[in-house]
């Protein structure tokens, strides 16, 4: 009989951090980021590529291609608001924003270029700590198809 794996899947709960020294201002960092998305969170053809949804990944809402710049805007707003995790190099590893009243997490995909992908957090037990810092996270509305 095969052994059960010791590894357990799940989202590691993030922690909202203070702005570090030596990375520039929030406006400078926000100006350098880009949102590229991830096909693993999509069930539709998107600017991230053809759908490659994996059952263990969070399922994203469907947004029109012309609304994808709004996702980048939400990420920039999260950086400006300080709703972010620890830095990896010159960029925050995570950032949080409320999109259509659902908390979303953006994760740094490429630390060299500042590319991010994002996904909804549907379980409040996975919200970053401390929870009172989420009040500063930006709130945006983006039309869902």
């Amino acid at each position: 009989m095969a052994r059960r794996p010791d590894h357990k899947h799940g989202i590691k709960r993030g922690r909202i951090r203070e702005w570090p020294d030596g990375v520039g201002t929030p406006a400078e960092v926000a100006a350098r980021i880009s949102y590229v998305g991830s096909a693993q969170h999509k069930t539709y053809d998107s600017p991230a590529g053809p759908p490659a949804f994996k059952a263990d990944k969070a399922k994203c809402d469907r947004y029109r291609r012309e609304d994808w710049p709004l996702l980048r805007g939400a990420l920039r707003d999260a950086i400006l608001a300080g709703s972010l995790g620890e830095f990896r190099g010159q960029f925050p590893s995570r950032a949080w924003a409320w999109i259509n009243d659902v908390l979303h997490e953006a994760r740094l995909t490429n630390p060299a270029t500042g590319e991010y992908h994002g996904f909804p957090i549907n379980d409040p037990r996975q919200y970053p700590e401390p929870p009172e810092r989420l009040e500063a996270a930006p709130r945006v509305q983006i039309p869902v198809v």
Side-chain angles (χ1 to χ4, degrees), residues 6 30 34 37 43 55 64 67 71 76 97 100 110 112 118-119 132 135:
D6 292 331
S34 60
T43 58
R64 296 179 306 214
D67 288 332
L71 297 168
R76 285 181 172 182
N100 301 334
N110 187 329
F119 52 88
E132 61 274 5
E135 293 172 17

Side-chain angles (χ1 to χ4, degrees), residues 50-67:
F53 182 65
K54 291 188 176 183
D56 65 339
K57 300 290 183 185
K59 180 182 169 194
C60 292
D61 285 332
R62 183 178 185 144
Y63 302 108
R64 296 179 306 214
R65 285 180 179 271
E66 57 267 24
D67 288 332

